[in-house]
Amino acid sequence: MTAPKILTDTRALQMHRARARTRDLFLQVQAADEIQDRLEMVNRAFTRIAVVTPFAGIWRERLPEATICADGETLPLDEKAFDLVIHSMSLHWANDPVGQLIQCRRALRPDGMLIAAALGGQTLDELRRCLSEAEIALTGGLSPRIAPMGEIRDLGALLQRAGLALPVADSLPLTAEYRDARHLMHDLRAMGETSALAARPRKTAPRALFDRTADLYRHHFATPAAKVTATFEMVFLTGWAPDDSQQKPLRPGSAKERLADALRVPETRLPD
């Protein structure tokens, strides 16, 4: 087997998270609120809960009895010890996201539930476009400055690859307003979400790059109130540890009645 490609400089990521400010973690708080809302809709009482998160304080307030661990490459979770595992807002930085989900699945008891939240592919689309346009105009080339984030279809497929049953993926787009592009980048720094790409440029970017980016951002994404918008896409992944009690899909061709008959509508054949 080949080792997964190293996308994230984990040392830089830890440094960024260490200087994050609790009062500015609005994305982490939003994800936690959404996860709790989704769990309330599940007809299940969970007794052994584990949370994988880079910001433990947010979850200690909500689930004081839960086992909370950081999102390292190896998760310190006992096998088949939990009936619920939450993986909160760090999968988009994982060098081996499938490995993270496999470890979560192994920590689940049969018919235990996994719910994960991560940033999806539409996140920071505006900043990505403006930075790229500015850098091409100034240097004639592009550098990796914003981490690529998975599309919902690709993230959903990770659940099946990790061996989870009944996989579901859905997204929640959020729009935030900022004074300007610099205000947005300052907020990302305060959240610990600035670029930790292993292939990121190591030299300090010229001031002209950010000046040009701010001008382009204001031109393309200004609001009537003279602010700018930024998109954050949250993707939520839900799956279950396999168990014989779960519903199974029917074998293809095993239906005893045509769908058209069941719906009481005429059947229209497609042309060859």
Side-chain angles (χ1 to χ4, degrees), residues 1-270:
M1 294 178 63
T2 58
K5 183 179 179 180
I6 300 301
L7 174 71
T8 300
D9 178 345
T10 54
R11 182 173 178 273
L13 181 62
Q14 291 170 359
M15 291 174 60
H16 295 171
R17 288 171 171 174
R19 69 188 181 209
R21 299 182 303 198
T22 303
R23 68 176 184 270
D24 294 315
L25 301 177
F26 84 93
L27 286 178
Q28 295 280 348
V29 171
Q30 180 71 37
D33 289 344
E34 284 290 325
I35 289 172
Q36 286 193 293
D37 287 345
R38 290 156 193 261
L39 291 175
E40 289 177 1
M41 294 186 287
V42 178
N43 188 23
R44 180 76 64 89
F46 299 105
T47 58
R48 288 293 310 279
I49 302 172
V51 183
V52 180
T53 174
F55 299 106
I58 291 174
W59 285 100
R60 286 201 183 101
E61 296 176 358
R62 289 169 165 77
L63 300 172
E65 303 301 321
T67 297
I68 299 178
C69 69
D71 58 327
E73 292 184 7
T74 302
L75 304 180
L77 300 176
D78 294 334
E79 187 172 355
K80 296 183 179 180
F82 305 96
D83 51 12
L84 171 64
V85 175
I86 298 169
H87 199 295
S88 182
M89 291 295 285
S90 57
L91 204 62
H92 52 280
W93 285 117
N95 283 314
D96 184 12
V98 176
Q100 290 282 301
L101 296 181
I102 289 174
Q103 291 181 75
C104 291
R105 190 255 300 163
R106 289 176 176 168
L108 286 170
R109 297 167 178 168
D111 203 33
M113 180 184 180
L114 165 72
I115 183 165
L119 293 177
Q122 301 306 309
T123 298
L124 297 177
D125 182 62
E126 302 92 344
L127 181 60
R128 195 186 308 271
R129 289 165 57 184
C130 293
L131 265 174
S132 298
E133 186 176 343
E135 189 167 18
I136 289 173
L138 292 173
T139 69
L142 276 177
S143 303
R145 297 187 181 277
I146 298 179
M149 299 174 193
E151 299 297 332
I152 185 170
R153 176 185 297 180
D154 300 326
L155 293 172
L158 298 181
L159 292 169
Q160 291 180 306
R161 290 179 59 190
L164 288 152
L166 308 175
V168 176
D170 67 283
S171 67
L172 174 67
L174 302 173
T175 301
E177 290 190 355
Y178 292 92
R179 292 190 302 272
D180 50 32
R182 284 190 175 85
H183 182 203
L184 166 60
M185 289 185 275
H186 181 272
D187 205 27
L188 292 173
R189 179 184 176 90
M191 289 189 285
E193 291 288 343
T194 47
S195 179
L197 286 170
R200 71 191 185 283
R202 302 307 171 103
K203 294 183 179 179
T204 302
R207 181 183 179 88
L209 174 63
F210 297 116
D211 290 341
R212 185 68 172 264
T213 297
D215 290 342
L216 289 168
Y217 211 121
R218 188 180 306 108
H219 176 73
H220 291 302
F221 302 108
T223 70
K227 294 186 177 182
V228 297
T229 58
T231 298
F232 297 95
E233 182 189 21
M234 286 188 182
V235 176
F236 296 89
L237 308 176
T238 306
W240 298 80
D243 186 68
D244 291 339
S245 66
Q246 294 167 347
Q247 293 180 337
K248 302 293 190 299
L250 294 175
R251 182 170 47 83
S254 63
K256 297 180 180 179
E257 184 179 8
R258 295 188 308 164
L259 180 61
D261 294 338
L263 297 176
R264 297 181 181 179
V265 296
E267 182 177 13
T268 303
R269 294 184 178 277
L270 297 175

